[in-house]
Amino acid sequence: MPNIKSAKKRVLVTEVKNARNRALKTELKTKIKTFETAAGEEAKAAYTEAVKSVDQAVAKGAIHKNTAARRKSQMTKKLNKGE
């Protein structure tokens, strides 16, 4: 355990950020899985939700922008291949 006041605060702030990022990433993974299991018109709606979720995760700093670009590209390929 830290003894210095600023170090104690960093521990608390890190825990909060960690929990927020974990929740964002879990939600993101769920939306991506929903897209991958969907078909037809459902897939288009799920794709829109998944891309939005990826963009939000980048905006909040949970994932890197290149990771987001790669995931969106992969999802777009799957959507177009399914049609």
Side-chain angles (χ1 to χ4, degrees):
M1 275 309 286
N3 294 321
I4 298 167
K5 187 176 181 179
S6 61
K8 289 178 185 177
K9 181 179 178 182
R10 294 305 321 153
V11 168
L12 296 175
V13 170
T14 301
E15 286 176 1
V16 170
K17 285 184 176 183
N18 194 322
R20 187 177 296 131
N21 286 341
R22 196 174 327 122
L24 278 167
K25 286 182 180 182
T26 302
E27 181 184 350
L28 177 65
K29 288 176 188 176
T30 303
K31 296 242 173 115
I32 290 172
K33 285 179 185 176
T34 303
F35 163 71
E36 289 177 352
T37 58
E41 289 299 316
E42 280 183 28
K44 290 180 182 177
Y47 170 78
T48 306
E49 285 285 320
V51 168
K52 181 179 176 183
S53 196
V54 168
D55 289 336
Q56 287 175 340
V58 171
K60 294 181 181 180
I63 62 173
H64 193 272
K65 66 177 185 172
N66 290 354
T67 303
R70 184 180 71 245
R71 288 189 178 174
K72 290 194 300 187
S73 174
Q74 289 170 345
M75 287 189 290
T76 304
K77 283 181 184 176
K78 286 183 182 177
L79 181 68
N80 292 337
K81 188 177 181 183
E83 290 183 348

